[in-house]
Amino acid sequence: MNRPSLIFLLLSPLFLLTFACDAKPKPVSSENSTLLTSNAPAAAIPYSLVLEGFSVAGVPGIHSAVVAGAPEKLVLIGGRRNGLHGFPPNREAAKGPAFPKTEANDTIYVLDLTNKKLLGSAPVSSLPAKVANQFKATNTQSQLVNGWLYIMGGYGADSRTGTLSTLGYVTVVNFAALADAVINHKPLDAAFASANIVQFDHLALAITGGDLELLPDASGATDFVLAFGQQYDGEYTPGGGLVNQTYSDGVRVFQFEYPPNSAKPSKLNFLTAVPNPAGGQMDPENPFHRRDLTMKPTLDASGKRRLVAYGGVFKGGRMEGFVNPVFVSSGAGTVTLTPNTSTSQLLSQYDTASIQLFDSRAGIVYTTFFGGISQFYWDATTSTLKHDTVNLSQGIDGLPFINSISTLKMSTSNDTGNQYLHVGQTMPPSAAAPSCSSSAGTVPAAYGGAETKFVIASGLSQATPGVLQLSSIASTSVVGYMVGGIAATAPYPNGATCACSTFYQVTLNPAQPTNTVQLQMPAGQ
């Protein structure tokens, strides 16, 4: 949308303070003893998970960043070092910016999570301005393909004006060369960019808060699917101002051309936007009007790769998240979008860490979500889901931070399923929770997961890239790591949020089911 009067769709009552996340992890969550028990003869979730918190010296808290590579050589680019963005008064973004440029992450980090150490770090300041601006942007979309890291869009500084805007280009960088330069202190400058980076401009690339995934095209080529999200141009202020905000209301499909015997792209081809024309920006029933969602690869009934978009915010004209997933399936030079109205995702609407597992024998996909920001929340006193009525004057936007861990169990044969709460387990685990600190002291941050990334452990069998093959995990195994994210001190923390530097190793036990409760939509919703 491009009317300042509609800017309230970005609102949340959470106001920014200068907090930092202090990692104070303990080896393993003490909640494990309650997690790993289930008296059900056939448990809904046949595996259990254990989270172990740890820190990496020299790595600050970062959220909304590019996280790419394997755990043994993981690259972090961009994102932000402070907490949830702030909300300056009407048209006064310059006096107290919601996205202060000083808090943009301007350093590339290369980590070895398996050994919990920093391999190297390097500033982006010597790179050409257009490259550096995207490497400092927040909520970009990225994929690592054939050794080249593609970074699309994002909210960052326009190299011509310096004003924050959604960047309408893609930067493609040689991943091995980048990691080598950072680890071995080689120059990251114009010469490096000339040899190892290529950029392409296109208006359709101007997306932030969406996701980028891959689908096979009928021709055998790879489609880059830039899904959902928005274009937001200008310095953010909730009262409007000289800004433009337009949701993509769908997906945009691209392909790249490559010279013979090279994985370095030489040309960008925009194929299509689906749907075309897009739906109404203010239509609350438009299922594609969503951003800040969780998108994952999955499988259809025939075992073919497709994508699924979970959650997202905000419905047109409403402070609401989406509860029905959307499937994205491949075609010839296009894709199809199919809302799944038979299954409801009741927790974790905002972009959050998640694990995708496939049981090939039962034809079931399990998606485990870790905390985040949610349309509903679990009330332990009544053992029900609840939703808060929006009351912005009291700091309640109806989309609280939560710390629940849950799994959506969906059959590939008919796309129906249910979501289950992991009883007694939280993200972060109470024994490895961080805290947000300021000049006033430290505050425990018991709510996490928002804008956290999950990185799959090396060597595990995948049904399709990004989906673990559950039947191949024969014994208790480390399945991955959670990186970064926003830590919050309360469901509606009124500013007490921070970027968290605590990492979590995730271990899966295939022989021990999780104790769960099947979630039900609250009455009247």
Side-chain angles (χ1 to χ4, degrees):
M1 72 193 65
N2 51 21
R3 295 180 184 273
S5 61
L6 303 181
I7 206 69
F8 74 94
L9 293 183
L10 281 169
L11 288 178
S12 172
L14 308 170
F15 294 87
L16 175 68
L17 297 180
T18 55
F19 280 75
C21 180
D22 295 330
K24 297 182 179 179
K26 298 181 182 179
V28 180
S29 169
S30 61
E31 297 157 334
N32 295 343
S33 60
T34 62
L35 292 178
L36 305 182
T37 59
S38 177
N39 298 321
I45 309 303
Y47 57 85
S48 57
L49 299 168
V50 172
L51 309 183
E52 178 182 349
F54 63 94
S55 59
V56 177
V59 182
I62 299 173
H63 69 82
S64 308
V66 174
V67 178
E72 296 79 11
K73 189 180 288 185
L74 193 72
V75 171
L76 276 61
I77 301 175
R80 301 198 59 78
R81 295 185 295 240
N82 56 351
L84 187 74
H85 63 78
F87 300 90
N90 268 7
R91 305 174 186 271
E92 294 184 8
K95 296 181 180 179
F99 292 85
K101 294 180 177 64
T102 55
E103 295 299 337
N105 174 37
D106 57 2
T107 302
I108 299 172
Y109 298 91
V110 182
L111 315 179
D112 177 356
L113 294 183
T114 59
N115 292 298
K116 304 177 177 58
K117 65 180 181 180
L118 174 65
L119 299 179
S121 63
V124 303
S125 55
S126 296
L127 287 164
K130 190 174 177 181
V131 175
N133 285 345
Q134 194 154 54
F135 280 10
K136 293 186 292 185
T138 188
N139 275 329
T140 56
Q141 296 82 201
S142 64
Q143 278 290 326
L144 179 59
V145 183
N146 295 329
W148 289 80
L149 177 58
Y150 295 71
I151 304 175
M152 290 186 179
Y155 187 57
D158 186 309
S159 58
R160 298 164 301 175
T161 66
T163 301
L164 291 178
S165 64
T166 303
L167 306 178
Y169 55 92
V170 55
T171 300
V172 189
V173 57
N174 185 314
F175 182 84
L178 179 66
D180 176 66
V182 173
I183 293 171
N184 295 302
H185 309 291
K186 298 179 180 179
L188 283 179
D189 53 16
F192 175 89
S194 178
N196 298 289
I197 292 177
V198 60
Q199 291 183 308
F200 304 97
D201 295 90
H202 198 288
L203 292 176
L205 293 167
I207 291 293
T208 185
D211 215 326
L212 180 65
E213 270 292 351
L214 307 174
L215 279 177
D217 187 79
S219 68
T222 297
D223 285 344
F224 286 70
V225 181
L226 183 58
F228 307 105
Q230 65 171 336
Q231 180 174 351
Y232 191 89
D233 297 326
E235 302 282 345
Y236 175 63
T237 170
L242 299 176
V243 298
N244 170 71
Q245 181 189 27
T246 306
Y247 282 56
S248 75
D249 283 345
V251 306
R252 297 160 184 190
V253 186
F254 303 84
Q255 288 181 1
F256 290 86
E257 294 183 14
Y258 305 88
N261 304 314
S262 174
K264 181 180 181 179
S266 59
K267 184 180 179 182
L268 167 73
N269 293 320
F270 169 68
L271 300 185
T272 187
V274 181
N276 189 13
Q281 291 278 308
M282 291 300 292
D283 179 6
E285 304 306 320
N286 177 3
F288 311 131
H289 185 79
R290 57 179 79 191
R291 62 175 173 85
D292 297 312
L293 62 148
T294 299
M295 191 163 188
K296 307 293 286 187
T298 187
L299 302 167
D300 64 14
S302 65
K304 184 179 178 181
R305 180 183 176 89
R306 59 178 172 172
L307 311 174
V308 57
Y310 292 117
V313 294
F314 295 94
K315 289 187 176 181
R318 297 179 181 176
M319 297 291 291
E320 292 182 24
F322 288 85
V323 299
N324 294 120
V326 174
F327 292 113
V328 184
S329 302
S330 59
T334 188
V335 297
T336 58
L337 304 186
T338 308
N340 183 2
T341 57
S342 63
T343 296
S344 295
Q345 174 200 347
L346 301 173
L347 293 176
S348 303
Q349 270 59 45
Y350 200 84
D351 186 17
T352 190
S354 62
I355 303 175
Q356 200 85 326
L357 301 119
F358 178 59
D359 182 346
S360 57
R361 291 167 293 194
I364 293 173
V365 173
Y366 298 90
T367 306
T368 297
F369 299 95
F370 296 87
I373 297 172
S374 190
Q375 175 71 14
F376 304 106
Y377 62 93
W378 181 252
D379 183 354
T381 60
T382 61
S383 296
T384 59
L385 284 181
K386 288 188 175 180
H387 174 69
D388 292 329
T389 301
V390 176
N391 187 342
L392 296 181
S393 66
Q394 297 297 315
I396 298 173
D397 67 353
L399 290 163
F401 282 89
I402 63 169
N403 58 13
S404 298
I405 297 177
S406 64
T407 294
L408 183 61
K409 177 181 180 181
M410 196 177 340
S411 170
T412 58
S413 64
N414 56 17
D415 296 332
T416 61
N418 295 291
Q419 194 167 10
Y420 298 85
L421 178 78
H422 290 213
V423 176
Q425 189 173 25
T426 60
M427 171 61 194
S430 59
S435 61
C436 292
S437 63
S438 73
S439 57
T442 60
V443 182
Y447 301 85
E451 293 293 352
T452 300
K453 308 298 182 184
F454 178 74
V455 180
I456 294 177
S458 301
L460 297 177
S461 177
Q462 299 181 41
T464 186
V467 180
L468 292 174
Q469 185 69 265
L470 182 59
S471 59
S472 71
I473 305 175
S475 59
T476 300
S477 304
V478 174
V479 293
Y481 301 84
M482 288 191 283
V483 178
I486 302 173
T489 60
Y492 303 102
N494 294 320
T497 67
C498 53
C500 188
S501 60
T502 305
F503 298 82
Y504 295 93
Q505 177 178 284
V506 184
T507 301
L508 184 146
N509 183 346
Q512 181 63 64
T514 295
N515 186 22
T516 62
V517 171
Q518 183 176 330
L519 298 173
Q520 303 289 337
M521 181 78 74
Q525 298 295 318

